[in-house]
């Protein structure tokens, strides 16, 4: 005994075997649906893998970075010795030794009034600072981590404003140094500021900055932003001494250390 193929009906209500080939137009429509679902799924998967701004992973990282000031030892944020391979002029290596760490404080006296006003939209939760000296004991540099109260949108807006208006290059917006008493940096005051850099992070509620000067308490009439002092052909005393490289190099490495410390492995502060 044999069975006939089951029947269906075409668009004119005429019987047809269900096993026959589906009309090309219907097949094309079905393929488009499948393809569309695949593209949507791929796009969603891609966004999860990349970690677009606003997703839960990025928000968790942002929040974790904002709590580091009280969750890990100071030596993890400001290592006693920082190696700056290729950080000096012409790719020369640098090594910085920490002189002292400032007590964690607010921001009331840490910035000149104009810089404090520029940073005000982000708020100030806590400020950590440390001062380093280079291997030749010729240059001193204060590096700071300003932990803000801002959300990601506010940090992006602040970064855009600093970039758009050149606030990170204005000589009236130079961060203040930390000059610990009875050290080689005791005379590192406002008049000794030679070069600086300010970086507003957008993936963490943190502003990273550094300001450098000579260790002999030399007064600097015209400080230069690190970007300018590091420029090709720069001939000023600040540029020739490599003080732009000192500020930028140390700030970059402290920022890298900050990023490495974001995660579940952070240890309680001692």
């Amino acid at each position: 005994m044999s069975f006939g193929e089951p029947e269906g009906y075409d668009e004119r209500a005429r019987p047809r075997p269900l096993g026959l080939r589906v009309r090309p137009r219907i097949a094309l429509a079905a393929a488009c649906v499948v393809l569309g679902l695949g593209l949507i799924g791929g796009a969603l998967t891609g966004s999860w893998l990349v970690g677009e701004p606003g997703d839960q992973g990025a928000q968790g990282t942002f929040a974790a970075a904002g709590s580091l000031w009280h969750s890990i030892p100071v030596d993890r944020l400001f290592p006693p010795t920082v190696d700056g391979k290729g950080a000096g002029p012409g790719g020369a290596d640098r090594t910085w030794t920490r002189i002292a760490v400032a007590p964690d404080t607010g921001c009331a006296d840490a910035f000149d009034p104009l810089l404090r006003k520029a940073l005000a939209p982000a708020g100030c939760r806590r400020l950590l600072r440390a001062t380093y000296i280079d291997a030749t004991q010729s240059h001193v540099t204060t590096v700071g981590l300003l932990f803000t109260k801002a959300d990601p949108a506010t940090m992006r807006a602040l970064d855009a404003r600093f970039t758009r208006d050149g606030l990170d290059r204005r000589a009236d917006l130079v961060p203040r140094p930390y000059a610990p008493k009875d050290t080689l940096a005791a005379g590192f005051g406002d008049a000794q500021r030679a070069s600086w850099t300010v970086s507003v992070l957008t993936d963490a509620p943190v502003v990273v900055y550094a300001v450098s000067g000579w260790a002999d308490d030399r007064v600097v009439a015209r400080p230069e932003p690190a970007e300018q002092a590091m420029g090709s052909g720069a001939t000023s005393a600040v540029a020739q001494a490599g003080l732009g490289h000192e500020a930028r190099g140390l700030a970059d490495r402290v920022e890298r250390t900050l990023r490495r410390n974001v995660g579940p492995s952070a240890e309680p502060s001692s």
Side-chain angles (χ1 to χ4, degrees), residues 131-169:
T131 295
Y132 287 80
I133 193 164
D134 74 317
T136 67
Q137 297 192 346
S138 301
H139 309 131
V140 287
T141 304
T142 292
V143 61
L145 295 171
L146 166 60
F147 289 85
T148 75
K149 300 178 181 179
D151 58 16
T154 302
M155 293 302 292
R156 289 194 295 270
L158 184 64
D159 175 60
R161 185 183 174 217
F162 263 71
T163 301
R164 181 185 66 246
D165 299 340
L167 301 186
D168 55 344
R169 299 185 296 277

Side-chain angles (χ1 to χ4, degrees), residues 3 29 31 47-48 62 64 79 111-112 119 123 138 164 177 180 194 232 235 251 256:
F3 294 92
S47 68
W48 293 331
F62 188 93
F111 301 113
D112 288 339
L119 294 170
S138 301
R164 181 185 66 246
S232 177
T235 58
R256 294 178 196 174

Side-chain angles (χ1 to χ4, degrees), residues 101-126:
V101 177
D104 55 313
T105 63
C107 300
D109 300 318
F111 301 113
D112 288 339
L114 284 179
L115 181 55
R116 187 167 65 246
K117 181 179 179 180
L119 294 170
C124 175
R125 186 176 303 280
R126 190 66 64 173

Side-chain angles (χ1 to χ4, degrees), residues 46-234:
S47 68
W48 293 331
L49 292 175
V50 172
E52 293 180 351
D55 68 13
Q56 292 182 351
Q59 291 175 356
T61 300
F62 188 93
S67 67
L68 287 181
W69 64 271
H70 65 74
S71 63
I72 63 173
V74 69
D75 285 355
R76 292 266 296 273
L77 290 176
F78 299 124
T81 301
V82 177
D83 292 323
K85 186 174 178 61
D93 295 342
R94 281 286 190 269
T95 299
W96 298 280
T97 300
R98 194 182 70 199
I99 295 177
V101 177
D104 55 313
T105 63
C107 300
D109 300 318
F111 301 113
D112 288 339
L114 284 179
L115 181 55
R116 187 167 65 246
K117 181 179 179 180
L119 294 170
C124 175
R125 186 176 303 280
R126 190 66 64 173
L127 176 65
L128 306 184
R129 295 172 293 167
T131 295
Y132 287 80
I133 193 164
D134 74 317
T136 67
Q137 297 192 346
S138 301
H139 309 131
V140 287
T141 304
T142 292
V143 61
L145 295 171
L146 166 60
F147 289 85
T148 75
K149 300 178 181 179
D151 58 16
T154 302
M155 293 302 292
R156 289 194 295 270
L158 184 64
D159 175 60
R161 185 183 174 217
F162 263 71
T163 301
R164 181 185 66 246
D165 299 340
L167 301 186
D168 55 344
R169 299 185 296 277
R170 282 178 43 172
D172 56 348
L173 296 176
V174 183
R176 285 177 173 167
Y178 167 59
K181 295 180 179 180
D182 302 321
T183 70
L184 293 173
F188 187 24
D190 291 351
Q192 285 71 36
R193 293 176 288 187
S195 189
W196 80 96
T197 182
V198 178
S199 178
V200 179
L201 307 188
T202 56
D203 55 352
V206 181
V207 177
V208 183
Y209 70 85
V211 54
S212 62
W214 278 278
D216 61 4
D217 306 341
R218 192 179 314 182
V219 173
V220 180
R222 184 177 298 175
E224 297 179 17
E227 181 179 353
Q228 177 181 331
M230 294 170 63
S232 177

